[in-house]
Amino acid sequence: MSDAPGLGGIQPVYLVIDASGSTALDNWIGRVNALLPALVEQLELADDRVTHEVRLSMLTFGTSAVVHMPLSATSAIEFIPAIQSGGFTSLSSAFHALAATIAEDASSLTADGYNVVPATACFVLQGLPTDPPDHLIEALAELEARIERGSLHAVCCAGTDPVALRGLGFTSPIYVGDTIDLSMLGASIARELVAAPRP
Amino acid sequence: MDDRVAALTAVIRYDSTLVDDPARLGRALCDVAPFDDSLRHASTLGASIGIPALIAGGRLDDAVARLRIRGGQRLDVALWTTRLWCEALSVELPFEFGATMPPDFDRLLPASPGTVERPPRDEPDSRTGRLPASATFVRACRLGDDVVVAVGTHAGLFAATCPASYAQPSEWVNVAAPSSPLSRDLVLLSESSTIVTAVWSSEKGVEQCVVRVAETGIGGAGPSVGDPSRLLQVVGAEPRYPLTASLTDERGIVDLTWTADRRELRRTTVDRRGSTSEPVVLPAACAKGERLIGLASTPASPATTWLVALTDRARVLLASWDKSVDQYSTWISAAAPVSNVVAVALTDVAGVGPVLFAATADRRLLCLELAPKLSEAWPWRSFGLPAGIPPGAQCTSLAVFPNEAENILLLVCAGVVWRVPVWVNSERASCGKASLFDQGAPQ
């Protein structure tokens, strides 16, 4: 955070990755680990096309959620720690953690004199959550106070119920089949996350 | 077995309500033991047919029988599944467990709509007015200071009355006994402060009768049911469930929205002289292979009506009907945040407007305020889980009626009707403790 305040501001981008026990199935977590470098590369390319600076943070969740990688300039990311699977699929924990992280990051960036562009987030999901519905509703309401409607994206396993995903606040999920071109998938996600320059 | 018991135990300790939600239970087991398909299949099958509740009640032989009959498991697998659930729920296994099978398997046969024919007509127990069978659906309608409650059972359709603030119904009275009663539906229409009309689907078409509150011989009150008459005759098809009806104006015109195949919805308008309009086919609501399980309607304005359809894929669909030009909007899915909605009901909440109430199989209650125009935003709110209903009692039906500052939800859980007060306003949605409504219904 030692850069001078940018002309076009900072766009925080959050990647929230399901690391629950079920991601061991079909080596989903291995494929996600393989996807991450391609995604960061595509975000870096996208960063060159927009006037604001894109910064990426990564959270993982199982029974609870943690910040796996703090908000960083995409060009400064040299090493992405591998994600291990385990725990239940508590999406409400991820919603709570993301809401808190967005608030903290925005506060820090603003205090440093940056103009903060509204955040976007992409959830990489292996399946639907294990939380009770009322926990999810409460957590989603907390998150929606921190992120604009339509800014929650999802990449998920083929066959995940699209209606349930919409109910969870995700728009236009990207479905991943058995075979994926990581570079193309990374580009698709980057396009969703880094839209046209915002004022 | 030990690893599997440990996995199921861990899941139950993580969230005990998972035993009521087989889909979520399956996902949780997939997290704990991702490569154990047998554990997942046996556990979710058990949860979906109520095995945890039977085991918690000590009915182990019934659990084995149900796994065999409703779950299609071989005896050895059924014993294994029962033992798994017993150990996970810390229920002690008797020494002789599994040595003999219960003799009355017929009692445990599944009741699936459309497949069960009417048994010999049962009347309520004349000494107690109790329902002769478990309820499958419930409907309710205010009648002055009282409420008329109707339930469907495999023995027919029954009604009771009750002061709106009370949870103790009058004696149940048989309204009708259509053939295949589990495939029929009933709607209660408020005609005035003294008359409710019951409208139901049957093998004869759509029938109706008047229900009033009358004094009983012992100083109490109960339903007085008029003679049935045919409201609509359908040639070549039988109206099934779901069914909804509304009174369009003071002239007593009834709009019936009905289905013969649980896929295609038709509307027929019937006036008081018995003249019927040509059926209007509504826009298609179901996807390929999908069936309707619920239907409700409520006025949105003098000229428009909300229609809500629920499908067997737990999709909650909304459409509006503009009566002034007789035009229906296309159905829009009100993306519910849960995937196990089993019942919906509509009512106009004072100070709020039309509100859609929904119940999940695991008894969670949700609501959605219906904005004047359909949009992509669905601000669902959760009431949570009403206290008082036993775990494992799966919800199958929901009705709602207003009572002063609150609304009352009636839920059918495991064949028994429960009464739950709820409060909805612009700031909060909350529910009170559930109380047993039909004290006489056998478990």
Side-chain angles (χ1 to χ4, degrees), chain A residues 35 38-39 42-43 181-191:
Chain A
L35 164 70
L39 176 57
Q42 291 295 331
L43 282 172
D181 180 323
L182 296 180
S183 175
M184 279 183 64
L185 178 61
S188 301
I189 299 169
R191 265 198 305 276

PDB file of all heavy atoms in Angstrom, chain A residues 35 38-39 42-43 181-191:
ATOM      1  N   LEU A  35      -6.170 -23.474 -11.723  1.00  0.00           N
ATOM      2  CA  LEU A  35      -6.809 -22.335 -12.396  1.00  0.00           C
ATOM      3  C   LEU A  35      -6.259 -20.987 -11.904  1.00  0.00           C
ATOM      4  O   LEU A  35      -6.189 -20.023 -12.663  1.00  0.00           O
ATOM      5  CB  LEU A  35      -8.328 -22.401 -12.152  1.00  0.00           C
ATOM      6  CG  LEU A  35      -9.145 -21.141 -12.436  1.00  0.00           C
ATOM      7  CD1 LEU A  35      -9.198 -20.896 -13.947  1.00  0.00           C
ATOM      8  CD2 LEU A  35     -10.564 -21.273 -11.891  1.00  0.00           C
ATOM      9  N   ALA A  38      -3.710 -18.853 -13.860  1.00  0.00           N
ATOM     10  CA  ALA A  38      -4.280 -18.353 -15.119  1.00  0.00           C
ATOM     11  C   ALA A  38      -5.230 -17.196 -14.840  1.00  0.00           C
ATOM     12  O   ALA A  38      -5.279 -16.211 -15.589  1.00  0.00           O
ATOM     13  CB  ALA A  38      -5.020 -19.488 -15.834  1.00  0.00           C
ATOM     14  N   LEU A  39      -5.979 -17.302 -13.767  1.00  0.00           N
ATOM     15  CA  LEU A  39      -6.930 -16.249 -13.426  1.00  0.00           C
ATOM     16  C   LEU A  39      -6.201 -14.962 -13.051  1.00  0.00           C
ATOM     17  O   LEU A  39      -6.575 -13.870 -13.490  1.00  0.00           O
ATOM     18  CB  LEU A  39      -7.831 -16.728 -12.279  1.00  0.00           C
ATOM     19  CG  LEU A  39      -8.817 -15.702 -11.741  1.00  0.00           C
ATOM     20  CD1 LEU A  39      -9.723 -15.187 -12.855  1.00  0.00           C
ATOM     21  CD2 LEU A  39      -9.676 -16.299 -10.638  1.00  0.00           C
ATOM     22  N   GLN A  42      -4.946 -13.333 -16.135  1.00  0.00           N
ATOM     23  CA  GLN A  42      -6.006 -12.668 -16.897  1.00  0.00           C
ATOM     24  C   GLN A  42      -6.459 -11.384 -16.210  1.00  0.00           C
ATOM     25  O   GLN A  42      -6.787 -10.408 -16.872  1.00  0.00           O
ATOM     26  CB  GLN A  42      -7.196 -13.617 -17.089  1.00  0.00           C
ATOM     27  CG  GLN A  42      -6.919 -14.787 -18.009  1.00  0.00           C
ATOM     28  CD  GLN A  42      -6.636 -14.355 -19.442  1.00  0.00           C
ATOM     29  OE1 GLN A  42      -7.131 -13.332 -19.908  1.00  0.00           O
ATOM     30  NE2 GLN A  42      -5.804 -15.126 -20.134  1.00  0.00           N
ATOM     31  N   LEU A  43      -6.479 -11.405 -14.886  1.00  0.00           N
ATOM     32  CA  LEU A  43      -6.849 -10.183 -14.154  1.00  0.00           C
ATOM     33  C   LEU A  43      -5.791  -9.103 -14.376  1.00  0.00           C
ATOM     34  O   LEU A  43      -6.104  -7.916 -14.470  1.00  0.00           O
ATOM     35  CB  LEU A  43      -7.002 -10.485 -12.659  1.00  0.00           C
ATOM     36  CG  LEU A  43      -8.308 -11.162 -12.243  1.00  0.00           C
ATOM     37  CD1 LEU A  43      -8.244 -11.589 -10.777  1.00  0.00           C
ATOM     38  CD2 LEU A  43      -9.491 -10.224 -12.446  1.00  0.00           C
ATOM     39  N   ASP A 181     -10.646 -25.345 -20.212  1.00  0.00           N
ATOM     40  CA  ASP A 181      -9.472 -24.630 -20.675  1.00  0.00           C
ATOM     41  C   ASP A 181      -9.227 -23.533 -19.644  1.00  0.00           C
ATOM     42  O   ASP A 181      -9.986 -22.566 -19.559  1.00  0.00           O
ATOM     43  CB  ASP A 181      -9.747 -24.050 -22.072  1.00  0.00           C
ATOM     44  CG  ASP A 181      -8.552 -23.296 -22.608  1.00  0.00           C
ATOM     45  OD1 ASP A 181      -7.860 -22.624 -21.816  1.00  0.00           O
ATOM     46  OD2 ASP A 181      -8.316 -23.369 -23.823  1.00  0.00           O
ATOM     47  N   LEU A 182      -8.192 -23.698 -18.852  1.00  0.00           N
ATOM     48  CA  LEU A 182      -7.981 -22.796 -17.722  1.00  0.00           C
ATOM     49  C   LEU A 182      -7.802 -21.347 -18.172  1.00  0.00           C
ATOM     50  O   LEU A 182      -8.299 -20.429 -17.526  1.00  0.00           O
ATOM     51  CB  LEU A 182      -6.761 -23.258 -16.921  1.00  0.00           C
ATOM     52  CG  LEU A 182      -6.893 -24.632 -16.268  1.00  0.00           C
ATOM     53  CD1 LEU A 182      -5.629 -24.973 -15.517  1.00  0.00           C
ATOM     54  CD2 LEU A 182      -8.086 -24.675 -15.331  1.00  0.00           C
ATOM     55  N   SER A 183      -7.099 -21.171 -19.281  1.00  0.00           N
ATOM     56  CA  SER A 183      -6.845 -19.816 -19.743  1.00  0.00           C
ATOM     57  C   SER A 183      -8.151 -19.128 -20.156  1.00  0.00           C
ATOM     58  O   SER A 183      -8.414 -17.982 -19.807  1.00  0.00           O
ATOM     59  CB  SER A 183      -5.875 -19.878 -20.921  1.00  0.00           C
ATOM     60  OG  SER A 183      -5.707 -18.607 -21.440  1.00  0.00           O
ATOM     61  N   MET A 184      -9.016 -19.900 -20.871  1.00  0.00           N
ATOM     62  CA  MET A 184     -10.296 -19.325 -21.298  1.00  0.00           C
ATOM     63  C   MET A 184     -11.196 -19.048 -20.103  1.00  0.00           C
ATOM     64  O   MET A 184     -11.875 -18.030 -20.035  1.00  0.00           O
ATOM     65  CB  MET A 184     -11.005 -20.281 -22.262  1.00  0.00           C
ATOM     66  CG  MET A 184     -10.482 -20.184 -23.681  1.00  0.00           C
ATOM     67  SD  MET A 184     -11.402 -21.242 -24.784  1.00  0.00           S
ATOM     68  CE  MET A 184     -13.024 -20.523 -24.705  1.00  0.00           C
ATOM     69  N   LEU A 185     -11.193 -19.999 -19.148  1.00  0.00           N
ATOM     70  CA  LEU A 185     -12.021 -19.803 -17.967  1.00  0.00           C
ATOM     71  C   LEU A 185     -11.546 -18.578 -17.186  1.00  0.00           C
ATOM     72  O   LEU A 185     -12.355 -17.749 -16.742  1.00  0.00           O
ATOM     73  CB  LEU A 185     -11.966 -21.054 -17.077  1.00  0.00           C
ATOM     74  CG  LEU A 185     -12.754 -20.981 -15.778  1.00  0.00           C
ATOM     75  CD1 LEU A 185     -14.239 -20.773 -16.047  1.00  0.00           C
ATOM     76  CD2 LEU A 185     -12.562 -22.246 -14.949  1.00  0.00           C
ATOM     77  N   GLY A 186     -10.228 -18.467 -17.036  1.00  0.00           N
ATOM     78  CA  GLY A 186      -9.662 -17.307 -16.341  1.00  0.00           C
ATOM     79  C   GLY A 186     -10.078 -16.018 -17.022  1.00  0.00           C
ATOM     80  O   GLY A 186     -10.449 -15.042 -16.362  1.00  0.00           O
ATOM     81  N   ALA A 187     -10.063 -16.018 -18.357  1.00  0.00           N
ATOM     82  CA  ALA A 187     -10.441 -14.810 -19.105  1.00  0.00           C
ATOM     83  C   ALA A 187     -11.915 -14.482 -18.889  1.00  0.00           C
ATOM     84  O   ALA A 187     -12.287 -13.324 -18.718  1.00  0.00           O
ATOM     85  CB  ALA A 187     -10.143 -15.017 -20.587  1.00  0.00           C
ATOM     86  N   SER A 188     -12.768 -15.543 -18.867  1.00  0.00           N
ATOM     87  CA  SER A 188     -14.207 -15.314 -18.641  1.00  0.00           C
ATOM     88  C   SER A 188     -14.449 -14.692 -17.279  1.00  0.00           C
ATOM     89  O   SER A 188     -15.235 -13.752 -17.127  1.00  0.00           O
ATOM     90  CB  SER A 188     -14.978 -16.636 -18.714  1.00  0.00           C
ATOM     91  OG  SER A 188     -14.799 -17.231 -19.948  1.00  0.00           O
ATOM     92  N   ILE A 189     -13.781 -15.247 -16.283  1.00  0.00           N
ATOM     93  CA  ILE A 189     -13.974 -14.723 -14.922  1.00  0.00           C
ATOM     94  C   ILE A 189     -13.460 -13.280 -14.857  1.00  0.00           C
ATOM     95  O   ILE A 189     -14.107 -12.398 -14.286  1.00  0.00           O
ATOM     96  CB  ILE A 189     -13.252 -15.607 -13.896  1.00  0.00           C
ATOM     97  CG1 ILE A 189     -13.809 -17.029 -13.926  1.00  0.00           C
ATOM     98  CG2 ILE A 189     -13.394 -15.026 -12.492  1.00  0.00           C
ATOM     99  CD1 ILE A 189     -12.982 -18.029 -13.139  1.00  0.00           C
ATOM    100  N   ALA A 190     -12.302 -13.051 -15.439  1.00  0.00           N
ATOM    101  CA  ALA A 190     -11.726 -11.702 -15.403  1.00  0.00           C
ATOM    102  C   ALA A 190     -12.666 -10.704 -16.058  1.00  0.00           C
ATOM    103  O   ALA A 190     -12.845  -9.590 -15.567  1.00  0.00           O
ATOM    104  CB  ALA A 190     -10.370 -11.709 -16.092  1.00  0.00           C
ATOM    105  N   ARG A 191     -13.294 -11.126 -17.173  1.00  0.00           N
ATOM    106  CA  ARG A 191     -14.239 -10.228 -17.846  1.00  0.00           C
ATOM    107  C   ARG A 191     -15.408  -9.878 -16.932  1.00  0.00           C
ATOM    108  O   ARG A 191     -15.868  -8.763 -16.884  1.00  0.00           O
ATOM    109  CB  ARG A 191     -14.778 -10.894 -19.113  1.00  0.00           C
ATOM    110  CG  ARG A 191     -14.015 -10.515 -20.377  1.00  0.00           C
ATOM    111  CD  ARG A 191     -14.839 -10.835 -21.619  1.00  0.00           C
ATOM    112  NE  ARG A 191     -15.278 -12.217 -21.666  1.00  0.00           N
ATOM    113  CZ  ARG A 191     -14.538 -13.219 -22.127  1.00  0.00           C
ATOM    114  NH1 ARG A 191     -13.313 -12.990 -22.556  1.00  0.00           N
ATOM    115  NH2 ARG A 191     -14.999 -14.452 -22.151  1.00  0.00           N
TER     116      ARG A 191
END
